[in-house]
Amino acid sequence: MLETLLEKHWHQLTLSEILSLLETDAERGLDAFEVSHRQKQFGPNSLTLKEDINPVLRFCLQFHQPLVYILLAAALITAVLQEWVDSGVIFGVVLINAVVGYFQESKALQAIAALARTLDGMTTVIRVGQKQRLPAVELVQGDLVVLVAGDKIPADLRLVSERNLQIDESALTGESIPISKHVHQFSKDTLLADRANMVFSSSLVTAGQGLGVVVAVGDTTEIGKIKRLIESADVLETPLTRKIRNFSGVLLWTILGLAGVTFLVGWLRGEAAFDMFMAAVALAVGAIPEALPVAMTIMLAIGVSRMARRHAIVRKLPAVEVLGSTTVICSDKTGTLTQNQMTVQEVFAGHDLFLFSGLGYVPIGGIHYQGTSVDSASYPTLLECLKAGILCNDSQLVEKNGGWGVEGDPTEGALHTAAAKVGLSFSLIAEQFPRVDTIPFESQDQLMATLHGRPNGNAKVMYAKGAVERILLRCSRALNASGQLEDVETEATQHVVQEMTKKGLRVLALASKALPSEQCSISHDDVSDLVFLGLQGMMDPPRPEAIRAVQTCHRAGIHVKMITGDHVGTAVAIAKQMRLAPSGNGLRVMSGHDIARLTDTELINQVEPVSVFARVAPEQKLRLVDALQAQGHIVAMTGDGVNDAPALKQANIGIAMGHMGTEVAKESADMVLTDDNFSTIEAAVEEGRGVFDNLVKFVTWTLPTNIGEGLVIMVAVFSGVMLPILPVQILWINMTTAVLLGLMLVFEPKEPGLMARLPRDPQTPILTGTLIFRIGMVGVLLLVGSFGLFQWELSQGQSLAVARTAAVNVFVFGELFYLFNCRSLEFSMWYVGFFSNRWLLVGVTLMIGFQLLFTYWSWMNQTFRSAPLALTEWGLIVGWGLIIYNVVSFEKTLRSWISRKTKDSSYANLTSG
């Protein structure tokens, strides 16, 4: 019978139905034989791990990329040429890339293992009527589990009984405050976060005690469902890896085709087959951009280093670039957009509304009344209301690690902070009003009361706090602004509550009652005929820097969406303060219920304009990410809980919280924020855009060399003349210039207006039509300069070695001058500042030094078949480099002028119309 229970809606059933279905007893639990039978039948209370790919195969798959094929081909060719150093370097690059990729993938696979570890630990159960401690892994359906404060829930339980039980489910549901639990039934369609008669595996007991019957273990728990979602989530290619893969595939076949044509044409012209094979090899070596994957890895690694300084730890290198192309950021609310510290913002006492300033639990701030800073000593009712908040309170405000925090309930911590802001010392107040008795908070009553002695010892006082409707019903009088008693104005108070609630405040009412000095205990009967003291309205306020970051994202064309497990009202209030809706658009909201009613197609069509998703279940977060990706968006998803892990893995870039985040979330993410701050995401996006800009600059700079080298070989073969550059010389050009010149573009500072651009269209190729034209133009200029100077040197009677050395230097110095063009793809180098990248100037100096060694050092002459040049040759080489620089500068200026004229013309037509 138990096999049919896996998908039961346990929150909908009565306790008697549940006990009958599970064949267990609410007092004795299961007997030993039944436990053994169920363990054998259903297995342990643990998450089963998906069988991993063989490590050797996973390592081999790191080589399964077109760009790596090109590198391997280059390494093999150089080995055939017996250029062992060059071959070893290229093989080393391939091997390092494979090792890094292997370990990054291994880290990603640790997410499910981390999830499995959340079920470790001991638990207390009742079996055969006896309490016993045993490993949580031994639990079975039907076991009775005893819960006390501090316990981690070992399985999914339906509550049998509870007393003041509060559960922190933030890691699972996203609910920012502990949830009060009870045993009542709920309807079948109740959302996971609202099933108050259930407690779920991996959640924490923060207060009270309870008894629950195990209804799901291991993979059948809610956390087990999340594990399945993690396994099913696709690991998406980043835009960069997809573009590089496509680019590499085209490049591979182009190089092979041109090499084949070169061999065939030369052979048909009567040239020796071996010579033509070597020419084809030279063309392939010249056309292969050996340094591209190395440069990409180094650029991304430096981006990782820069982000780390801005509190963003990147776990997977391609995530750096993904940030730069992000079009939508789906952010959690609590702790990311907000401070994750409840703060009293308004107090209503004696018919007056006071505004409190200050952030979080720091007991520093001001009090304002009607726009003016005031002294609280002039308002006795305000002081009495605040005093009630710290006496009727089981939490403490503590200073630790250089900051302030709360031990206990966050709501009660906010009451402590508010009182401290007016100078009320809890230790002094507690000494003057020692606690005598307590009525603890219980979910059915929605209030708490405490009995205290007075300083004079003649009488006692009871303070109560709780839900407004529960406290007001028990109040017969109220304190006015002067501290005098008067009738309660229930209707006016309810109006104030409504106004506070509209602002997203959580409102508590506070009251007091004088009791005889001989009374030493209180009961619920005493909580009547109270004196209403006031209201305290609190919320987890937005981070000021997050508000600014959201606006920056809007200007950058990035949509920011809040996805939270909190209630709609709270989410909307925070969203309005964050100005989450883009300018000119109303705030669109969708709840978990709304999402559940929509088909996938309907959700895809409706998801884009919505800014707030509230009361969202874990699988719905995954659906939202899928829907946005179906619209063509590059999605960044933030999260800190176990419930966020599937969506973090599915998103183009998953961002976990380092301080508040669970290990499962961190293992599933591509990036971890060490300060849990949304503004850090905005900073990381800026860094990502800068990294991609520099990567495009490198590609734009390096390809003309490969094109020029390939063209030189083809022209020589088609013309029937000697090769102007040899394969070993090509390798020298490619490897040295890439390291000393190209990689210096890594250190280019971010260009002005970077965050004022719209995100790149994910479908846009790495190189635009303008850049392709420029690359081709520079490639032809390198061909003309090198081939022309090579032929001129031979015509002047120079040796073949001198002619080839001149051709090599045309390539190197042509690249050197073109490098300054590539510092900005739109503007001149003077716009970005000649000295703004000092590393580039260092690289240029070193490159000139290496070329002098290449040209004049006898060992280099012997190794690379080079020869010394005269001053005349150097004049021609440098002169041709300056021509390349000026031609590209003119092309950029011309395009800028045309673009400006086009915009002016469009604006004139628009205004005249």
Side-chain angles (χ1 to χ4, degrees):
M1 181 178 178
L2 287 172
E3 292 90 334
T4 65
L5 301 181
L6 298 182
E7 297 300 326
K8 284 286 184 183
H9 298 283
W10 300 103
H11 58 281
Q12 180 191 12
L13 304 176
T14 65
L15 281 174
S16 59
E17 289 174 327
I18 290 171
L19 295 172
S20 175
L21 286 168
L22 294 174
E23 300 174 8
T24 189
D25 185 271
E27 294 181 358
R28 289 180 50 80
L30 299 172
D31 61 42
F33 291 112
E34 185 61 25
V35 168
S36 177
H37 171 70
R38 295 185 185 190
Q39 285 175 340
K40 291 177 182 177
Q41 188 173 7
F42 299 107
N45 176 34
S46 61
L47 300 180
T48 55
L49 298 180
K50 188 177 180 180
E51 188 173 344
D52 197 7
I53 299 174
N54 181 283
V56 175
L57 177 59
R58 194 163 74 240
F59 179 74
C60 292
L61 288 174
Q62 304 301 318
F63 299 92
H64 184 52
Q65 303 172 44
L67 203 59
V68 174
Y69 297 156
I70 294 174
L71 282 175
L72 289 172
L76 289 171
I77 290 167
T78 51
V80 169
L81 296 173
Q82 297 186 352
E83 299 296 337
W84 304 116
V85 173
D86 297 312
S87 180
V89 168
I90 299 172
F91 266 125
V93 167
V94 173
L95 187 61
I96 290 170
N97 280 342
V99 170
V100 170
Y102 174 80
F103 281 109
Q104 286 176 347
E105 188 174 333
S106 298
K107 283 184 179 180
L109 294 173
Q110 291 171 10
I112 296 171
L115 188 60
R117 289 195 297 271
T118 64
L119 295 184
D120 293 345
M122 303 292 289
T123 190
T124 302
V125 301
I126 298 175
R127 288 180 178 171
V128 200
Q130 300 293 319
K131 283 186 181 180
Q132 50 186 287
R133 293 281 290 173
L134 49 79
V137 72
E138 296 180 12
L139 287 180
V140 296
Q141 279 184 305
D143 263 327
L144 289 179
V145 177
V146 179
L147 303 174
V148 295
D151 283 352
K152 178 158 57 170
I153 309 297
D156 286 0
L157 314 177
R158 169 64 189 272
L159 290 175
V160 175
S161 63
E162 62 83 26
R163 179 173 175 78
N164 192 27
L165 184 64
Q166 294 190 354
I167 306 292
D168 177 2
E169 295 179 344
S170 57
L172 185 66
T173 66
E175 183 68 55
S176 57
I177 58 176
I179 307 300
S180 296
K181 295 293 184 175
H182 56 75
V183 297
H184 308 307
Q185 291 173 256
F186 287 89
S187 60
K188 179 180 178 180
D189 60 350
T190 303
L191 291 176
L192 183 72
D194 295 325
R195 298 173 189 173
N197 59 4
M198 297 284 297
V199 292
F200 301 104
S201 177
S202 81
S203 300
L204 299 172
V205 181
T206 59
Q209 55 191 28
L211 180 68
V213 59
V214 176
V215 296
V217 295
D219 291 337
T220 62
T221 61
E222 291 298 327
I223 200 173
K225 294 176 184 176
I226 290 173
K227 187 222 39 164
R228 292 198 296 275
L229 290 175
I230 294 176
E231 290 177 339
S232 63
D234 297 325
V235 180
L236 299 180
E237 279 188 309
T238 70
L240 178 64
T241 53
R242 184 168 58 248
K243 290 169 186 175
I244 289 291
R245 177 174 53 78
N246 294 337
F247 171 73
S248 302
V250 171
L251 192 63
L252 174 65
W253 291 111
T254 301
I255 291 171
L256 292 176
L258 290 176
V261 168
T262 300
F263 175 84
L264 188 62
V265 168
W267 182 62
L268 292 175
R269 286 172 53 89
E271 302 287 347
F274 178 78
D275 291 340
M276 288 305 94
F277 172 75
M278 295 306 295
V281 166
L283 187 148
V285 170
I288 291 172
E290 297 96 340
L292 182 56
V294 184
M296 185 174 77
T297 301
I298 292 174
M299 283 189 173
L300 293 177
I302 290 177
V304 167
S305 176
R306 287 175 176 173
M307 288 182 182
R309 290 197 293 269
R310 302 183 75 169
H311 307 292
I313 306 300
V314 175
R315 297 181 65 249
K316 301 171 186 176
L317 282 182
V320 177
E321 182 274 333
V322 181
L323 281 163
S325 52
T326 296
T327 58
V328 174
I329 299 175
C330 296
S331 177
D332 190 21
K333 177 184 72 68
T334 305
T336 309
L337 294 173
T338 66
Q339 299 172 38
N340 198 27
Q341 294 186 342
M342 294 295 286
T343 307
V344 172
Q345 299 198 326
E346 296 183 1
V347 176
F348 176 75
H351 304 294
D352 296 324
L353 186 64
F354 300 89
L355 304 182
F356 279 56
S357 62
L359 298 175
Y361 295 127
V362 180
I364 299 173
I367 303 141
H368 297 79
Y369 174 62
Q370 296 182 346
T372 305
S373 180
V374 297
D375 182 3
S376 59
S378 304
Y379 299 91
T381 307
L382 170 64
L383 290 175
E384 189 66 15
C385 180
L386 294 172
K387 185 172 71 174
I390 60 174
L391 287 175
C392 188
N393 195 314
D394 285 331
S395 300
Q396 293 185 57
L397 197 63
V398 292
E399 187 176 12
K400 53 184 177 182
N401 300 326
W404 288 86
V406 61
E407 290 183 352
D409 186 87
T411 300
E412 293 188 328
L415 299 177
H416 272 291
T417 304
K421 288 176 182 177
V422 303
L424 291 180
S425 169
F426 172 68
S427 58
L428 291 177
I429 297 292
E431 186 178 339
Q432 293 172 352
F433 295 84
R435 184 184 293 193
V436 178
D437 195 20
T438 303
I439 298 177
F441 179 89
E442 292 190 2
S443 54
Q444 61 267 33
D445 297 313
Q446 294 289 301
L447 61 84
M448 172 184 178
T450 53
L451 178 64
H452 300 267
R454 288 183 185 269
N456 55 25
N458 294 328
K460 291 189 172 70
V461 61
M462 179 179 69
Y463 289 108
K465 77 170 191 294
V468 175
E469 61 275 11
R470 299 300 178 93
I471 295 295
L472 274 180
L473 281 174
R474 291 167 168 80
C475 290
S476 58
R477 291 167 296 169
L479 283 187
N480 62 20
S482 302
Q484 303 300 313
L485 292 174
E486 64 178 23
D487 291 336
V488 177
E489 296 183 10
T490 303
E491 189 173 333
T493 303
Q494 290 286 11
H495 177 72
V496 173
V497 172
Q498 289 173 6
E499 292 301 312
M500 285 184 170
T501 305
K502 286 180 183 177
K503 300 170 190 174
L505 299 180
R506 185 184 184 199
V507 185
L508 287 179
L510 298 106
S512 66
K513 181 180 181 180
L515 291 172
S517 59
E518 64 272 11
Q519 186 164 343
C520 295
S521 62
I522 52 176
S523 66
H524 284 282
D525 292 336
D526 293 309
V527 189
S528 61
D529 196 24
L530 303 177
V531 176
F532 178 70
L533 301 177
L535 307 170
Q536 294 197 40
M538 64 194 70
M539 73 183 313
D540 179 12
R543 294 176 182 262
E545 65 274 22
I547 297 175
R548 293 190 294 270
V550 167
Q551 302 315 305
T552 302
C553 287
H554 285 166
R555 288 193 294 273
I558 301 170
H559 301 285
V560 181
K561 300 180 185 295
M562 179 195 297
I563 302 180
T564 178
D566 264 349
H567 293 280
V568 172
T570 305
V572 168
I574 293 294
K576 287 179 178 177
Q577 293 185 51
M578 300 290 307
R579 301 197 296 277
L580 210 58
S583 180
N585 297 336
L587 187 69
R588 296 280 298 275
V589 184
M590 187 178 286
S591 70
H593 274 301
D594 299 329
I595 297 171
R597 286 194 292 265
L598 297 176
T599 65
D600 288 343
T601 303
E602 290 171 335
L603 184 60
I604 290 169
N605 293 333
Q606 296 182 35
V607 70
E608 191 150 1
V610 180
S611 298
V612 177
F613 299 91
R615 224 61 183 148
V616 174
E619 64 274 10
Q620 292 175 332
K621 292 186 178 186
L622 191 58
R623 285 188 68 199
L624 289 172
V625 171
D626 282 334
L628 288 165
Q629 289 172 336
Q631 289 276 18
H633 285 292
I634 301 298
V635 181
M637 173 78 187
T638 76
D640 55 8
V642 174
N643 63 324
D644 296 318
L648 289 174
K649 188 179 176 187
Q650 176 67 28
N652 299 89
I653 176 166
I655 305 170
M657 303 299 112
H659 180 60
M660 298 295 293
T662 61
E663 286 303 311
V664 180
K666 293 175 191 176
E667 292 290 351
S668 297
D670 304 288
M671 186 173 81
V672 178
L673 305 185
T674 59
D675 59 356
D676 292 10
N677 197 331
F678 182 85
S679 64
T680 301
I681 302 174
E682 179 261 322
V685 168
E686 185 179 14
E687 289 292 346
R689 288 188 174 191
V691 167
F692 187 80
D693 270 10
N694 290 344
L695 186 60
V696 173
K697 291 173 185 177
F698 177 85
V699 173
T700 305
W701 170 82
T702 195
L703 288 184
T705 306
N706 302 113
I707 290 172
E709 290 165 345
L711 289 175
V712 161
I713 302 300
M714 289 185 68
V715 169
V717 171
F718 291 174
S719 304
V721 300
M722 298 291 292
L723 295 180
I725 46 179
L726 297 172
V728 68
Q729 294 170 339
I730 290 173
L731 279 171
W732 166 265
I733 295 170
N734 291 356
M735 300 306 283
T736 57
T737 57
V739 173
L740 297 176
L741 298 181
L743 282 181
M744 298 304 109
L745 290 171
V746 168
F747 303 103
E748 275 301 309
K750 294 182 287 292
E751 292 188 29
L754 188 65
M755 288 300 283
R757 305 179 196 164
L758 293 176
R760 297 188 315 276
D761 184 342
Q763 305 306 317
T764 302
I766 295 177
L767 299 174
T768 62
T770 298
L771 295 181
I772 291 172
F773 171 82
R774 188 177 302 164
I775 288 167
M777 178 181 71
V778 175
V780 170
L781 287 172
L782 289 171
L783 160 69
V784 172
S786 59
F787 193 80
L789 187 56
F790 174 77
Q791 290 296 327
W792 184 80
E793 291 287 342
L794 292 178
S795 70
Q796 298 299 306
Q798 295 289 352
S799 67
L800 189 59
V802 169
R804 283 173 171 162
T805 304
V808 168
N809 277 294
V810 167
F811 270 100
V812 171
F813 280 85
E815 285 185 272
L816 188 151
F817 282 100
Y818 179 51
L819 181 70
F820 289 95
N821 294 119
C822 291
R823 292 192 59 197
S824 173
L825 298 178
E826 292 184 50
F827 309 104
S828 73
M829 69 174 176
W830 306 109
Y831 175 79
V832 296
F834 184 80
F835 294 102
S836 60
N837 184 353
R838 296 184 185 275
W839 283 107
L840 183 137
L841 300 179
V842 171
V844 166
T845 304
L846 289 173
M847 190 68 246
I848 292 172
F850 271 96
Q851 277 311 111
L852 291 175
L853 289 174
F854 174 86
T855 306
Y856 295 107
W857 188 16
S858 59
W859 182 84
M860 297 284 265
N861 294 155
Q862 205 169 18
T863 303
F864 291 99
R865 304 177 203 176
S866 58
L869 299 178
L871 195 60
T872 305
E873 281 94 357
W874 282 115
L876 293 172
I877 290 165
V878 173
W880 192 253
L882 284 169
I883 288 173
I884 291 175
Y885 172 80
N886 285 303
V887 168
V888 176
S889 296
F890 175 75
E891 181 255 347
K892 286 201 284 188
T893 303
L894 182 62
R895 286 188 184 277
S896 178
W897 181 81
I898 293 172
S899 175
R900 211 164 40 246
K901 284 292 183 183
T902 304
K903 288 180 181 177
D904 291 343
S905 176
S906 300
Y907 180 74
N909 293 335
L910 184 64
T911 53
S912 63

